[in-house]
């Protein structure tokens, strides 16, 4: 009986040590191994001024290290393409706008929260956020808290959740209490 208890305690200790060993460097290495890919998304925005949440859906693709495309298919077509320091918005009516995010710290922080997480770029994330990781390599949560006052005036925090090497959910909590949740489902196969 004593041997079983001792064995159980030792195994529990090993399990805790394995979980404790998972840190931000490990997560970033795992994410950096991804070679990009495609996913479906559902975005739910909760805005205080609206009676109910607004939902949109579509597809995303990421090509490391810096190209991210988000095509909204419903409720209306629009496309956002992030390529390097430039983000382009294209509406279904053909209107197009391009913005240099490097010249706008608040826009740069939003962009880096997604792009640098997907790329496993810890240094880029730490230029804009304080990082806090919880969970295990199999299921993790990374909280990003903005550093710059211009960004904290707009954004309280971003929570990125994933499984293994895949980002599966991103939640933006704005300073005014509004929030946006992006659920991501990888597309596998051809």
């Amino acid at each position: 009986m004593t041997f079983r208890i001792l064995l159980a305690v030792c195994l529990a200790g090993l399990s805790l040590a394995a979980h404790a060993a998972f840190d931000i460097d490990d997560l970033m290495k795992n994410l950096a191994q991804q070679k990009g890919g495609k996913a479906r998304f559902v975005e739910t925005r909760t805005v205080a001024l609206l009676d109910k949440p607004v939902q949109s859906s579509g597809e995303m693709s990421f090509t490391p290290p810096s190209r991210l495309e988000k095509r909204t298919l419903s409720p209306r077509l629009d496309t956002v393409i992030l390529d390097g320091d430039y983000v382009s918005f294209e509406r279904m009516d053909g209107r197009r706008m391009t913005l240099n995010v490097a010249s706008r710290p608040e826009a740069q922080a939003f962009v880096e929260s997604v792009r640098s997480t997907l790329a496993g770029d810890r240094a880029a994330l730490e230029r804009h956020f304080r990082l806090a990781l919880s969970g295990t390599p199999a299921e993790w949560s990374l909280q990003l808290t903005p550093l710059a006052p211009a960004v904290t005036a707009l954004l309280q925090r971003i929570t990125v959740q994933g499984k293994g090497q895949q980002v599966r959910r991103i939640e933006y909590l704005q300073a005014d209490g509004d929030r946006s949740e992006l659920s991501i489902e990888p597309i596998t196969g051809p």
Side-chain angles (χ1 to χ4, degrees), residues 81-93:
I81 299 173
L82 172 64
D83 198 359
D85 285 335
Y86 293 90
V87 63
S88 300
F89 304 91
E90 187 173 336
R91 301 278 182 212
M92 65 184 207
D93 63 6

Side-chain angles (χ1 to χ4, degrees), residues 75-104:
R76 65 178 182 272
L77 297 173
D78 65 40
T79 303
V80 177
I81 299 173
L82 172 64
D83 198 359
D85 285 335
Y86 293 90
V87 63
S88 300
F89 304 91
E90 187 173 336
R91 301 278 182 212
M92 65 184 207
D93 63 6
R95 288 186 296 162
R96 187 178 181 110
M97 180 177 75
T98 300
L99 172 71
N100 180 342
V101 294
S103 66
R104 306 187 101 177

Side-chain angles (χ1 to χ4, degrees), residues 3-152:
F3 177 73
R4 284 188 206 166
I5 293 171
L6 181 60
L7 182 60
V9 168
C10 287
L11 289 175
L14 287 174
S15 176
L16 288 173
H19 291 303
F22 181 61
D23 63 13
I24 294 171
D25 283 333
D26 294 328
L27 175 62
M28 293 295 121
K29 286 176 193 168
N30 289 343
L31 292 171
Q33 290 176 9
Q34 283 288 79
K35 301 302 179 209
K38 294 182 179 184
R40 290 182 186 85
F41 74 85
V42 174
E43 185 171 20
T44 305
R45 293 181 186 172
T46 305
V47 180
L49 297 174
L50 301 177
D51 293 337
K52 60 182 182 176
V54 176
Q55 200 168 69
S56 61
S57 61
E59 295 182 350
M60 300 173 67
S61 64
F62 177 63
T63 306
S66 64
R67 183 176 169 81
L68 179 65
E69 182 173 338
K70 180 182 170 198
R71 286 196 68 222
T72 301
L73 303 173
S74 175
R76 65 178 182 272
L77 297 173
D78 65 40
T79 303
V80 177
I81 299 173
L82 172 64
D83 198 359
D85 285 335
Y86 293 90
V87 63
S88 300
F89 304 91
E90 187 173 336
R91 301 278 182 212
M92 65 184 207
D93 63 6
R95 288 186 296 162
R96 187 178 181 110
M97 180 177 75
T98 300
L99 172 71
N100 180 342
V101 294
S103 66
R104 306 187 101 177
E106 62 283 357
Q108 183 81 36
F110 276 101
V111 164
E112 293 305 337
S113 70
V114 177
R115 178 174 59 190
S116 296
T117 300
L118 290 172
D121 188 344
R122 180 178 184 167
L125 283 171
E126 287 181 328
R127 281 193 291 276
H128 302 279
F129 302 99
R130 187 177 67 248
L131 311 180
L133 176 66
S134 61
T136 67
E139 198 162 328
W140 49 267
S141 180
L142 179 64
Q143 186 168 302
L144 309 174
T145 306
L147 298 174
V151 179
T152 59

